[in-house]
Amino acid sequence: MGGNVSRKQKRPESSADQLLPPSVPTTPTSPDPLLARDPLAALATKPSLDTMEESIAPKEYKRRWVMLLLFVAYSFSNAVQWIHLNIIGNVIIRYYNESLPEDSFQQETAIDWLSMIYMLVYIPLIFPATWLLDKKGLRISLICGAFLNALGAWVKCACVSPDRFPVLMFAQTICAIAQIFILGIPAHLAATWFGPNQVSTATSIGVFGNQVGCAAGFLIPPLLVPNSDDLDVVGKDLSIMFYIWAGLCTAIFIAICVVFKNKPPRPPSKAQMLADTSGNQENYFGSLKNLFGNKGFLLLALTYGINTGCYYGIGTLLNPIILHYFPGHEQNAGQIGLVLVLAGVVGSVMAGLWLDKTKTFKGTTVGIYLLSMAGMVAFTFTMDVGLIWVVFITAGALGFFMTGYLPVGFEFAAEITYPEPEGTSSGLLNASAQTFGIIMTIGMRTLLNRVSVMSANITVSAALLVGTIITALIKADYRRQEAGKRAIGYLDNVQFDFNTSNKDKTGDGDV
């Protein structure tokens, strides 16, 4: 009627080439490698109109929260095992004395390695772990890690005997290997499952699981394994603690195998859609090369390593630091560790919400770093006032900012390295953190034994000052945000051309 096309008529077919704005060629005219890596150029080669229409509307699925919760549970169970032996280090030394070196410094160092082994194995193994993540996705990585986590927990059940410290170290090594499938996951999982207005919050919650695990690792062992003169009682308490955790880790492993999915049917954001379309995540070694050529990322990796390494050193040596000033306060040492981490949980969540709202990644990073240094200075110079409640307050302030920095660093890295995979950039950040964690722990232990506790804490404060200065030098190159803006503008043009094309074919746009 009057040139109109009936609603029952089939919509005329059209190729993606007809929908693209003239400024975006459908086929590269030159072998330009930058064009080949450009997500928008890759999107321009979509094979059909139907595919283009589907990609215009990202979708968030409710099940994303289930995926995040499973990861949080797995991260929690592994983080407990990182610190649950060191916070009762004096008890562990007495129980395993016959299978430890005779020298007291070597005994203390051996106990420190129960924590530092987490850092040591991460450094070489993060590269194959991130390769597996990029090639096989989240599901396979989490299944591998959860299996190793449960296996290590069960091996610990077989090491409850004073002559089996080497077995305990072997079990802790297995749990440490499981950690390589955790630390680089939060930013990757958040980008894969969550939209742009929740991605920073989801990253914070992902880190939250590890932090709460550390808190439980500080709090629970002094309660389950109190200091006792009877080694048989200590052995029984250790056995109870190990069996409880082995059962929990096994249940989490089964849940991940049954429930966890690799990714949603459709991407949750346009930036993630473009990253998927570019195919860049399939080129792992190319991503490594690009990251090592990014000066801003290298500076961030350095400063992230310093901050997190200081946190690892303090967490590992919190027991001897507190007992130096407050002898016999093993449970208070655990509770101070709990406050340190729980305050960091609050800081992490607040930082994630703040980043989602303001997108001020560099300013937030510098501010939190500076306040971390201030918190460490306060912690250092209030230890000897003799008031344990003051230590609780300063530890809370330190944890709020130092632990709250972790998700901020992940998100800042994701911004300045886009479109490189978040798992790869997070993995390199954590490799730096583990390296500095070993350096800071060994350095602090040496200063504790040969100089003073105060000198060790002052050294950490000075390291955080250096990290603050370097962080201020990082350029605020927000590539992911720019890609999102370009995607919105480009896809709006595609939708406009689509509507215009159909108006021309139907006469009045009534399809």
Side-chain angles (χ1 to χ4, degrees), residues 262-314:
N262 196 44
K263 62 181 180 179
R266 287 162 58 184
S269 67
K270 292 179 179 177
Q272 183 64 23
M273 175 192 66
L274 293 175
D276 290 345
T277 305
S278 70
N280 190 57
Q281 297 186 10
E282 298 178 1
N283 188 359
Y284 174 67
F285 294 103
S287 293
L288 282 179
K289 180 180 178 181
N290 294 329
L291 290 173
F292 280 111
N294 187 323
K295 294 181 180 179
F297 175 74
L298 293 179
L299 290 176
L300 180 60
L302 175 62
T303 59
Y304 185 92
I306 293 173
N307 187 295
T308 311
C310 289
Y311 169 73
Y312 289 158
I314 294 169

Side-chain angles (χ1 to χ4, degrees), residues 31-262:
D32 186 349
L34 293 178
L35 180 60
R37 292 186 68 247
D38 186 357
L40 290 180
L43 180 61
T45 63
K46 286 288 183 180
S48 70
L49 177 60
D50 292 335
T51 306
M52 179 69 75
E53 288 181 279
E54 181 179 348
S55 67
I56 290 175
K59 181 178 180 180
E60 291 182 286
Y61 296 82
K62 292 182 179 180
R63 76 186 80 165
R64 68 190 185 278
W65 296 107
V66 177
M67 306 303 137
L68 184 59
L69 178 62
L70 285 173
F71 171 74
V72 166
Y74 160 44
S75 180
F76 167 86
S77 65
N78 183 264
V80 168
Q81 299 188 84
W82 165 57
I83 204 65
H84 71 158
L85 299 172
N86 294 85
I87 196 60
I88 54 172
N90 57 322
V91 178
I92 297 296
I93 286 177
R94 282 202 316 106
Y95 183 76
Y96 288 101
N97 186 65
E98 69 176 76
S99 54
L100 288 170
E102 295 184 2
D103 179 73
S104 61
F105 177 74
Q106 292 180 353
Q107 288 181 345
E108 293 167 349
T109 302
I111 300 303
D112 292 343
W113 274 109
L114 289 171
S115 166
M116 289 192 293
I117 193 64
Y118 264 63
M119 309 171 201
L120 180 64
V121 302
Y122 189 92
I123 297 169
L125 294 182
I126 185 53
F127 296 102
T130 51
W131 177 86
L132 182 67
L133 175 63
D134 290 335
K135 287 292 184 181
K136 301 299 182 181
L138 288 165
R139 175 176 165 79
I140 295 298
S141 294
L142 262 63
I143 288 176
C144 290
F147 171 76
L148 291 171
N149 193 45
L151 177 62
W154 281 109
V155 173
K156 286 181 183 179
C157 296
C159 68
V160 183
S161 177
D163 61 344
R164 296 181 184 175
F165 182 81
V167 181
L168 179 64
M169 181 60 74
F170 174 69
Q172 190 74 347
T173 302
I174 297 174
C175 295
I177 296 173
Q179 182 204 210
I180 67 175
F181 300 103
I182 293 176
L183 296 185
I185 294 292
H188 186 88
L189 189 149
T192 301
W193 280 94
F194 289 81
N197 293 328
Q198 292 181 336
V199 66
S200 295
T201 301
T203 301
S204 299
I205 295 174
V207 175
F208 164 90
N210 196 267
Q211 294 169 339
V212 175
C214 292
F218 282 121
L219 178 65
I220 295 174
L223 300 177
L224 293 180
V225 191
N227 197 355
S228 173
D229 294 332
D230 189 340
L231 292 185
D232 290 335
V233 173
V234 173
K236 181 179 178 181
D237 293 339
L238 282 172
S239 182
I240 292 173
M241 182 175 72
F242 290 154
Y243 273 106
I244 289 173
W245 227 252
L248 176 64
C249 293
T250 302
I252 293 172
F253 167 65
I254 294 173
I256 288 175
C257 290
V258 173
V259 178
F260 196 89
K261 302 298 181 184
N262 196 44

Side-chain angles (χ1 to χ4, degrees), residues 436-505:
F436 278 97
I438 294 174
I439 294 171
M440 295 304 300
T441 302
I442 293 176
M444 289 181 68
R445 171 60 77 179
T446 302
L447 291 172
L448 286 176
N449 284 61
R450 300 183 180 179
V451 185
S452 67
V453 175
M454 177 72 74
S455 66
N457 290 338
I458 290 176
T459 300
V460 173
S461 301
L464 291 172
L465 174 61
V466 173
T468 303
I469 294 172
I470 297 175
T471 302
L473 301 177
I474 301 174
K475 182 180 178 181
D477 184 14
Y478 298 161
R479 299 181 181 182
R480 186 169 63 180
Q481 288 187 44
E482 290 301 317
K485 293 175 183 177
R486 290 168 58 205
I488 292 172
Y490 170 66
L491 293 172
D492 284 346
N493 286 337
V494 170
Q495 186 64 52
F496 175 78
D497 288 346
F498 169 72
N499 292 336
T500 302
S501 173
N502 280 285
K503 278 187 179 182
D504 290 343
K505 293 179 182 297

Side-chain angles (χ1 to χ4, degrees), residues 87-88 90-91 215 217-228 318-319 322-323 326-339 388 392:
I87 196 60
I88 54 172
N90 57 322
V91 178
F218 282 121
L219 178 65
I220 295 174
L223 300 177
L224 293 180
V225 191
N227 197 355
S228 173
L318 188 61
N319 176 271
I322 299 300
L323 294 184
F326 303 94
H329 284 245
E330 288 89 358
Q331 290 194 13
N332 274 333
Q335 292 167 3
I336 289 170
L338 173 68
V339 170
I388 193 71
F392 274 92

